[in-house]
């Protein structure tokens, strides 16, 4: 790999070899230090709201179709942050810290221009397999997002293929007095390219959808270089109602500009707003940045021995907890969410979606408030 530091080349080669034997969960594999990120996966749900303005304005739409279009615009606007931020900040995609069961992350986007405050609450609700649940809400705007996320990974020899599990449900209370609406958001597949060279980046693949309780469906296809156009990171979305004919097509780059017909649909060059998080000194012991503080410091400063030592300490403590629970016949209590075997809202909306790839049932994590 061209981008692998000389002294880590052997480690990178053996890591790549071990990817071939991976059994769906990359998170628990040990990777060479240069590819480690100091950020835990519990922070990732913040990417859903780095355009709080677009999120808040969904409820201002004048009709179900207008609101569906606003949901689609907000969703497409989140993709750049979700899938390119690590490359921008750290030079390539990196391996995030693998959250412990019960790890928490809280943040806010303050009120600006009367749009209302947006709050984010995240909890790691499973460790094996890793699942992260999140709740985002702007009470004033009447918009909230509830979801959970996991990943199944496989390696093709050149790229890592990531199938996302879980879904998100957006709830909107329209400002014009229309009834409350729900939107099911399914998640795209990822292909991690550039792995061999040691400079991974994400390309989105296949398709995802947004299904509204009002009958509107947005089907979104993703392509890399050389399909719809010569460009990377492109998408094409079509809007339909109750499975009827195409009402509108949206096309372009999710990292740049997209159009609906001749009109600009979204220009992602507008600056994003990062989530505001309490200083570590004011955080509780289960809060992500406090829990991983020493590991993150080790990774950032290149003191990998400190990072490894602290990571082992955290993992051993977790192992001991699980042993104690097994011995005492107890189990870990989730703090913010309650697990349900079949998410009722999901079932209804997935049924309207008629997409064979979307399973009829999925687990749910209900926010306890
Ligand atoms: C998590 C949920 C977010 C969207 C998202 C973005 C990037 C994904 C991440 C999810 C899961 C973990 C992920 C990451 C990109 C790379 C990383 C797949 C889906 C893997 C584990 C690290 C690969 C690095 C190796 C080459 C070492 O909403």
């Amino acid at each position: 790999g061209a981008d692998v530091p000389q002294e880590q080349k052997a480690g990178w080669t053996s890591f790549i070899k071990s990817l071939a034997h991976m059994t769906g969960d990359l998170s628990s594999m040990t990777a060479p230090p240069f590819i480690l990120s100091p950020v835990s996966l519990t922070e990732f749900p913040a990417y859903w709201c780095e355009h709080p303005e677009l999120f808040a304005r969904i409820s201002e739409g004048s009709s179900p179709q207008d609101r569906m279009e606003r949901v689609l615009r907000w969703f497409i606007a989140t993709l750049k942050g979700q899938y390119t931020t690590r490359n921008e900040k750290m030079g390539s995609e990196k391996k995030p810290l693998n959250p412990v069961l019960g790890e928490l992350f809280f943040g806010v986007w303050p009120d600006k221009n009367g749009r209302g405050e947006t709050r984010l609450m995240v909890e790691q609700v499973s460790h094996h397999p890793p699942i992260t649940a999140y709740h985002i809400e702007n009470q004033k705007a009447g918009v909230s997002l509830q979801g959970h996320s996991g990943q199944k990974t496989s390696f093709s020899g050149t790229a890592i293929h990531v199938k996302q599990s879980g879904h998100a449900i957006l709830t909107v209370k329209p400002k014009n007095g229309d009834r409350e609406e729900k939107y099911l958001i399914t998640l795209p597949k990822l292909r991690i390219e550039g792995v061999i060279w040691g400079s991974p980046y994400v390309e989105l693949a296949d398709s995802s959808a947004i299904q509204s309780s009002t009958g509107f469906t947005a089907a979104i296809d993703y392509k890399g270089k050389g399909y719809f156009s010569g460009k990377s990171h492109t998408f094409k979305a079509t809007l339909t109602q109750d499975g009827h004919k195409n009402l509108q097509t949206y096309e372009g780059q999710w990292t740049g500009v997209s159009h609906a017909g001749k009109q600009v649909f979204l220009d992602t060059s507008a600056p994003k707003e990062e989530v505001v998080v309490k200083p570590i000194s004011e955080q509780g012991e289960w809060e992500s940045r406090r829990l991983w503080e020493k590991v993150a410091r080790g990774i950032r400063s290149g003191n990998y021995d400190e990072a490894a030592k602290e990571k082992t300490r955290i993992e051993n403590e977790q192992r001991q907890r699980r042993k104690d629970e097994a011995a005492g016949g107890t189990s870990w209590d989730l703090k913010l969410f309650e697990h349900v075997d079949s998410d009722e809202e999901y079932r209804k909306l997935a049924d309207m979606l008629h997409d064979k790839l979307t399973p009829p049932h999925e687990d749910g994590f209900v926010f306890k408030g």
Side-chain angles (χ1 to χ4, degrees):
D3 297 316
V4 182
Q6 189 57 40
E7 72 286 358
Q8 295 183 41
K9 288 215 153 105
W12 188 241
T13 305
S14 67
F15 174 74
I16 297 212
K17 282 186 183 149
S18 65
L19 284 176
H21 308 286
M22 174 173 58
T23 52
D25 181 10
L26 192 145
S27 61
S28 55
M29 288 176 60
T30 307
F34 83 92
I35 206 76
L36 302 180
S37 154
V39 178
S40 160
L41 262 187
T42 55
E43 295 204 23
F44 281 45
Y47 294 131
W48 284 108
C49 220
E50 293 184 327
H51 298 279
E53 205 76 50
L54 292 178
F55 187 69
R57 292 237 169 101
I58 293 168
S59 57
E60 290 170 19
S62 57
S63 66
Q65 181 169 342
D66 183 16
R67 288 187 290 270
M68 172 50 127
E69 192 167 83
R70 287 166 186 246
V71 173
L72 179 64
R73 183 179 290 112
W74 156 76
F75 172 78
I76 299 292
T78 70
L79 298 177
K80 189 178 171 191
Q82 303 255 20
Y83 301 110
T84 69
T85 302
R86 281 79 51 198
N87 289 69
E88 271 164 25
K89 283 197 177 169
M90 307 187 279
S92 84
E93 194 58 76
K94 302 261 169 169
K95 191 171 183 292
L97 296 168
N98 187 19
V100 304
L101 180 61
E103 183 174 327
L104 302 168
F105 183 69
F106 300 107
V108 298
W109 291 266
D111 186 5
K112 256 190 205 169
N113 311 322
R115 73 180 178 205
E117 180 189 68
T118 313
R119 298 194 306 141
L120 166 70
M121 287 141 279
V122 184
E123 179 169 16
Q124 187 70 13
V125 293
S126 169
H127 182 68
H128 269 306
I131 303 175
T132 310
Y134 51 90
H135 184 83
I136 301 174
E137 69 177 26
N138 180 332
Q139 257 175 13
K140 186 175 179 200
V143 185
S144 68
L145 182 75
Q146 164 70 55
H148 69 275
S149 142
Q151 298 87 39
K152 276 209 168 63
T153 40
S154 63
F155 185 55
S156 68
T158 53
I160 298 174
H161 297 259
V162 182
K163 191 175 177 298
Q164 298 200 65
S165 62
H167 60 265
I169 290 177
L170 182 80
T171 304
V172 179
K173 293 190 179 76
K175 289 290 175 208
N176 68 358
D178 283 358
R179 283 199 286 151
E180 183 178 278
E181 297 166 353
K182 302 270 181 187
Y183 297 81
L184 167 64
I185 298 168
T186 68
L187 306 167
K189 285 187 182 144
L190 279 60
R191 220 172 42 232
I192 321 250
E193 309 268 18
V195 177
I196 307 287
W197 314 115
S199 46
Y201 66 92
V202 171
E203 187 56 270
L204 297 180
D206 293 355
S207 59
S208 75
I210 305 176
Q211 176 63 50
S212 161
S213 57
T214 55
F216 289 94
T217 310
I220 311 157
D221 288 326
Y222 304 93
K223 294 283 191 287
K225 257 198 184 66
Y227 288 87
F228 299 143
S229 66
K231 292 174 177 162
S232 55
H233 303 326
T234 60
F235 76 94
K236 184 175 183 171
T238 53
L239 179 67
T240 54
Q241 184 178 17
D242 300 322
H244 298 316
K245 72 166 177 41
N246 188 357
L247 296 168
Q248 184 63 264
T249 303
Y250 309 84
E251 255 182 290
Q253 279 183 299
W254 49 265
T255 44
V257 180
S258 50
H259 290 86
K262 286 190 165 52
Q263 284 188 337
V264 171
F265 176 59
L266 176 70
D267 180 351
T268 61
S269 63
K272 58 178 190 173
E273 293 179 40
E274 275 185 35
V275 65
V276 177
V277 182
K278 267 199 243 166
I280 289 178
S281 59
E282 292 169 28
Q283 291 183 12
E285 55 176 334
W286 288 95
E287 285 185 64
S288 187
R289 290 187 188 175
R290 175 151 166 212
L291 194 130
W292 293 106
E293 184 178 15
K294 291 179 179 155
V295 177
R297 192 172 57 205
I299 293 172
R300 287 204 174 94
S301 65
N303 187 346
Y304 299 124
D305 290 342
E306 189 198 8
K309 200 183 86 200
E310 281 300 319
K311 187 166 164 283
T312 305
R313 186 185 59 74
I314 291 170
E315 284 165 357
N316 287 343
E317 195 209 86
Q318 284 291 310
R319 242 170 253 132
Q320 191 57 48
R321 265 178 201 280
R322 300 290 91 83
K323 272 189 200 158
D324 294 347
E325 285 162 6
T330 61
S331 64
W332 178 260
D333 284 327
L334 299 181
K335 290 182 185 65
L336 309 173
F337 298 89
E338 191 185 330
H339 175 254
V340 293
D341 284 333
S342 177
D343 183 334
E344 184 65 9
E345 293 298 341
Y346 173 87
R347 198 186 50 71
K348 282 191 248 165
L349 293 163
D351 193 49
M352 292 174 80
L353 182 55
H354 293 301
D355 173 351
K356 288 179 197 65
L357 297 172
T358 304
H361 294 274
E362 267 205 356
D363 287 32
F365 291 90
V366 181
F367 183 58
K368 289 198 266 192

